[in-house]
Amino acid sequence: MSAAYLEKLNERQRSAVEHGVGTGVHTGGPLLVIAGAGSGKTNTLAHRVAHLIVNGADPRRILLMTFSRRAAAEMGRRVERICAQVLGGKAGTLSDALAWAGTFHGIGARLLREHASEIGVDPDFTIHDREDSADLINIVRHELGLSKTESRFPTKATCLAIYSRAVNSERPLDEVLRDNFPWCSAWEKQLRELFGAYVEAKQAQNVLDYDDLLLYWAQMMGDGALAEEVGGRYDHVLVDEYQDTNRLQASILLALKPNGRGLTVVGDDAQSIYSFRAATVRNILDFPATFTPAAEIITLDRNYRSTQPILAAANGVIELARERFTKNLWTERESAERPRLVTVRDEADQANYVVEQVLQNRECGMLLKQQAVLFRTSHHSGPLEVELTRRNIPFVKFGGLKFLDSAHVKDVLAALRFAQNPRDRVAGFRLMQLLPGVGPQTAGRVLDAIAAEPEPLTALSEIPAPPRSGDHWTSFVDMLHILRSGRSGWPSEISTARSWYEPHLERIHEDAEMRKADLLQLEQIATGYPSRERFLTELTLDPPDATSDQAGAPLLDEDYLILSTIHSAKGQEWKSVFVLNCVDGCIPSDLGVGSTAEVEEERRLLYVAMTRAKDSLNLITPQRFFTHGQNAQGDRHVYASRSRFIPATLLQFFECSAWPVAAPAAADRRDAQQLRVDVRARMRGMWR
């Protein structure tokens, strides 16, 4: 059989594709492909699947697991194209038979339905998404009386997050609480009771949640005969993005192929950045030891994306990792342009620098959508988004809603809007439902009652507090009166609204600390506006649109700048990349330095960000971050240090500069003037 379709692969890619093929049964030993950033991972995996099929493997006996349905569909299309080069008309039939390609959860659901009668499950079960699951756990929580405890019991979202992490990490509840949810440790007994009742409720309603699809599959594989039957269905099991698997998924794979024969996993330990989803880098690091001595490791280190100077800097960052597979990316793409490490005064200058460079790149022929701005956390882009909006530069943001469209920011803005205009029914409706015991009907009745009054806020203070709202109603009304009177002054009014809102934020959202940072950022942005009215008007007239990474282009503009969290940028590439806030406290995040493992994951995040760049890379380090709660003329700030992941030994890989560039005129004048007193010489002479 001709292997002309393999000629475009490099030597190591071809070794990975051909591993175990030609052994008669085509089920070689376990294979680990360490695929560096931009090394053609997807192309290599697709060629391996196609090569197996072309050489006689039954596509119906190939299990291919990816981390999204779109990735599985794309892989199938590539396999079909490759097979068509060799097999012609037969290729469609063979690739169509590649029926076992999908996500872990999708494959798990199919297998559970097929074996339902053998494991005591009704095959007509329905599957709850995260929102459904949170609602069900909340019903159970209420039935157990946990929503009426004297001290604050974790919210439904937090309860579900704890349950999910315990399941996916295969760790005891007390360990999960200690390491990931320490503020909930006092509730261990009640949480255990809640989770037991939650499981019983799911079973009574014949529903499985997202985590059950893996948990039930793993439990099913705990039966030796069933494991042998299921594992025996597949000659080949191939897994993409193995560094993003959790312990439960690794257990499933080990049960499918206990000796590793026919097992191929592909991934990059340097890009393992999803521990918040219970993924563990240990799966890929420990793979060779799990299948010693049979495992073969093939490293793809030729990069087809970035220039050599960008790779040299990225390699330097990841070389300092405590534990990794040795891999130094290289490329034939030479360039004289080193990555830039740019020091700016503060976040405002950072935003201006990015805008200036983006527009300059555009003038040189680079589309906006060929450029990306990456950041560790969503709120880091707040000042930049405002500047882009002000300069009429279209952009799309990935990694959650845009800053001004997130729920907690909209809540605080609603408080300002309702104080500005107490007849704004939408703002009032949103605000009142934040209060305990106030639902849509109560909020509607209150708004109807004050609508016809000449002074709605005065009427609001005279209405009896709704039952169960308690002191929250009084503080709500007081906050509105303070804002309405204007006695706090602008921009302190936004601090007043934030202080009132924070207790509700902690009650409603499990990630309250992260959201508080957004509100502090909003407060800082507000200092750039002269009044509450101007602030609300300008943000309302030209607000950023909400976007989703699942949707199509959300703008009418044919071109737009990409804004993205680093997590959402994984797997993407752009000609020019800007990384914001490359300082300690941001990268690494001050919430991500509690343990060595957390610090190492933060290092990998920076590496992922750097390796998204094809031609140009800018890492930006603001020197000052202004403290919050001061007026527009305030100058209280803290100084930031360059990220610990770029020590002095790595500066050789960067072009280091400051922006804006200081004008040389002042220095020239100093040199030209005749010295009247050489103060510096006198200072030196004092100690001689």
Side-chain angles (χ1 to χ4, degrees):
M1 188 72 69
S2 169
Y5 60 95
L6 301 180
E7 289 177 358
K8 292 184 179 180
L9 301 178
N10 65 43
E11 183 180 346
R12 291 192 177 179
Q13 289 175 331
R14 186 161 179 161
S15 295
V17 168
E18 295 180 328
H19 172 79
V21 180
T23 59
V25 291
H26 308 315
T27 51
L31 172 64
L32 169 61
V33 180
I34 300 296
S39 64
K41 168 181 70 69
T42 303
N43 192 41
T44 302
L45 188 56
H47 273 81
R48 176 158 177 76
V49 175
H51 191 60
L52 289 168
I53 295 173
V54 165
N55 283 274
D58 185 345
R60 294 167 298 185
R61 296 180 60 80
I62 294 176
L63 174 59
L64 172 63
M65 288 188 283
T66 64
F67 272 76
S68 74
R69 285 176 294 177
R70 286 180 295 170
E74 171 60 22
M75 193 75 71
R77 286 191 293 269
R78 289 198 189 200
V79 169
E80 184 171 352
R81 286 197 299 269
I82 298 165
C83 290
Q85 294 179 34
V86 185
L87 301 173
K90 296 190 233 174
T93 306
L94 286 174
S95 58
D96 287 344
L98 193 64
W100 290 97
T103 65
F104 266 94
H105 295 86
I107 298 296
R110 287 179 60 184
L111 288 172
L112 291 178
R113 291 196 195 279
E114 287 194 15
H115 295 274
S117 61
E118 299 169 87
I119 59 174
V121 173
D122 185 332
D124 294 325
F125 63 80
T126 53
I127 301 170
H128 273 182
D129 61 18
R130 292 292 185 197
E131 192 170 338
D132 292 333
S133 300
D135 288 342
L136 179 56
I137 213 168
N138 200 42
I139 292 171
V140 177
R141 180 174 169 268
H142 182 71
E143 289 174 349
L144 293 176
L146 297 174
S147 56
K148 298 179 180 178
T149 52
E150 291 184 9
S151 57
R152 182 169 57 99
F153 191 75
T155 65
K156 63 179 182 180
T158 302
C159 292
L160 184 63
I162 296 169
Y163 173 83
S164 183
R165 184 172 283 267
V167 167
N168 287 291
S169 64
E170 294 188 322
R171 294 167 60 211
L173 178 59
D174 59 338
E175 284 186 19
V176 170
L177 291 173
R178 181 194 66 208
D179 296 341
N180 304 107
F181 301 89
W183 62 93
C184 301
S185 292
W187 298 102
E188 181 187 346
K189 179 182 176 183
Q190 292 87 344
L191 285 168
R192 198 176 295 278
E193 180 186 7
L194 172 63
F195 297 155
Y198 172 58
V199 170
E200 289 179 3
K202 286 188 294 182
Q203 291 180 356
Q205 298 174 36
N206 195 31
V207 299
L208 271 62
D209 65 23
Y210 200 61
D211 300 317
D212 287 334
L213 299 175
L214 297 182
L215 185 59
Y216 277 51
W217 186 4
Q219 293 293 323
M220 179 174 79
M221 300 298 282
D223 178 85
L226 258 179
E228 189 173 347
E229 180 182 339
V230 175
R233 300 176 66 155
Y234 311 110
D235 295 328
H236 302 276
V237 176
L238 303 97
V239 183
D240 193 13
E241 304 285 10
Y242 190 59
Q243 78 280 350
D244 294 333
T245 53
N246 57 45
R247 289 184 60 177
L248 194 55
Q249 289 162 322
S251 298
I252 290 169
L253 285 179
L254 189 59
L256 281 170
K257 295 295 175 188
N259 61 7
R261 290 197 65 80
L263 178 61
T264 299
V265 300
V266 182
D268 182 6
D269 57 296
Q271 297 186 66
S272 176
I273 58 174
Y274 291 111
S275 65
F276 65 92
R277 296 179 187 165
T280 172
V281 70
R282 296 301 338 160
N283 285 352
I284 194 166
L285 290 175
D286 295 341
F287 185 89
T290 302
F291 296 106
T292 298
E296 181 172 346
I297 304 172
I298 297 176
T299 302
L300 307 182
D301 56 6
R302 179 177 177 181
N303 180 283
Y304 293 90
R305 174 186 300 152
S306 307
T307 63
Q308 187 58 46
I310 290 174
L311 293 183
N315 286 337
V317 167
I318 204 64
E319 277 175 5
L320 300 176
R322 292 173 65 93
E323 184 180 6
R324 71 187 187 105
F325 287 108
T326 302
K327 170 183 74 275
N328 286 304
L329 299 179
W330 64 276
T331 184
E332 293 181 351
R333 295 193 64 220
E334 297 296 336
S335 172
E337 180 184 338
R338 286 183 294 172
R340 296 177 194 163
L341 187 61
V342 184
T343 302
V344 296
R345 284 175 298 200
D346 51 35
E347 290 178 285
D349 270 4
Q350 176 173 247
N352 284 317
Y353 171 77
V354 170
V355 170
E356 181 180 291
Q357 295 298 311
V358 164
L359 292 177
Q360 184 176 313
N361 289 342
R362 184 172 175 272
E363 288 300 311
C364 294
M366 188 184 298
L367 297 174
L368 290 178
K369 65 176 66 174
Q370 293 175 327
Q371 306 179 64
V373 183
L374 308 183
F375 31 87
R376 171 64 180 85
T377 305
S378 185
H379 71 81
H380 287 177
S381 67
L384 176 62
E385 290 182 43
V386 172
E387 184 62 24
L388 289 169
T389 301
R390 195 175 279 166
R391 301 275 287 269
N392 200 29
I393 299 174
F395 63 94
V396 176
K397 184 174 180 181
F398 298 96
L401 294 176
K402 287 186 180 178
F403 178 72
L404 297 177
D405 284 314
S406 46
H408 48 295
V409 173
K410 289 174 75 73
D411 289 341
V412 171
L413 291 176
L416 296 175
R417 283 171 49 208
F418 196 56
Q420 183 78 16
N421 174 19
R423 301 186 194 282
D424 186 333
R425 191 176 181 88
V426 172
F429 199 70
R430 183 184 188 98
L431 275 182
M432 289 184 194
Q433 290 187 85
L434 294 172
L435 305 178
V438 178
Q441 289 185 333
T442 301
R445 284 197 300 269
V446 170
L447 289 168
D448 288 339
I450 68 173
E453 298 293 331
E455 289 294 333
L457 288 189
T458 301
L460 186 68
S461 60
E462 295 171 354
I463 290 176
R468 294 189 294 132
S469 65
D471 293 337
H472 290 292
W473 181 261
T474 304
S475 64
F476 166 65
V477 174
D478 289 345
M479 178 271 299
L480 289 174
H481 277 289
I482 292 171
L483 293 181
R484 181 71 173 168
S485 70
R487 64 176 182 261
S488 296
W490 182 259
S492 295
E493 291 168 13
I494 200 167
S495 178
T496 301
R498 177 175 59 80
S499 298
W500 165 79
Y501 178 64
E502 280 189 351
H504 301 290
L505 178 70
E506 293 172 352
R507 179 172 50 81
I508 296 167
H509 297 289
E510 64 166 306
D511 53 348
E513 289 303 316
M514 299 292 284
R515 293 174 186 259
K516 284 180 185 177
D518 283 351
L519 299 181
L520 290 172
Q521 187 67 66
L522 180 69
E523 195 170 328
Q524 183 61 37
I525 290 171
T527 63
Y529 294 83
S531 67
R532 179 179 68 211
E533 181 182 9
R534 281 276 299 277
F535 176 66
L536 292 172
T537 299
E538 292 192 27
L539 289 186
T540 304
L541 285 177
D542 197 7
D545 295 320
T547 63
S548 164
D549 60 358
Q550 299 293 323
L555 302 168
L556 294 177
D557 303 78
E558 62 183 14
D559 196 15
Y560 41 81
L561 181 67
I562 305 297
L563 273 56
S564 176
T565 61
I566 300 172
H567 284 101
S568 294
K570 188 167 170 290
Q572 305 297 313
E573 62 183 32
W574 296 275
K575 284 189 175 182
S576 180
V577 169
F578 301 85
V579 186
L580 302 184
N581 296 344
C582 294
V583 296
D584 262 36
C586 295
I587 305 178
S589 165
D590 51 10
L591 298 176
V593 292
S595 67
T596 299
E598 288 174 328
V599 172
E600 289 304 305
E601 179 156 329
E602 294 288 317
R603 186 194 312 278
R604 295 193 293 267
L605 265 171
L606 179 59
Y607 174 79
V608 167
M610 294 173 69
T611 52
R612 300 310 95 199
K614 297 167 74 173
D615 303 325
S616 173
L617 174 64
N618 287 262
L619 305 186
I620 311 170
T621 60
Q623 291 180 299
R624 298 187 298 175
F625 288 81
F626 287 92
T627 56
H628 304 280
Q630 55 184 311
N631 61 36
Q633 287 74 43
D635 192 39
R636 294 198 301 274
H637 58 268
V638 295
Y639 282 97
S641 302
R642 185 179 69 242
S643 172
R644 69 187 71 179
F645 303 139
I646 310 175
T649 53
L650 297 187
L651 295 182
Q652 60 182 310
F653 297 117
F654 296 89
E655 177 187 325
C656 300
S657 62
W659 189 93
V661 178
D668 293 342
R669 282 198 304 272
R670 188 174 62 246
D671 292 340
Q673 291 174 347
Q674 183 178 358
L675 280 177
R676 299 179 66 178
V677 180
D678 191 341
V679 175
R680 296 191 301 165
R682 289 190 179 188
M683 294 303 101
R684 294 194 300 271
M686 287 177 63
W687 307 103
R688 290 177 181 167

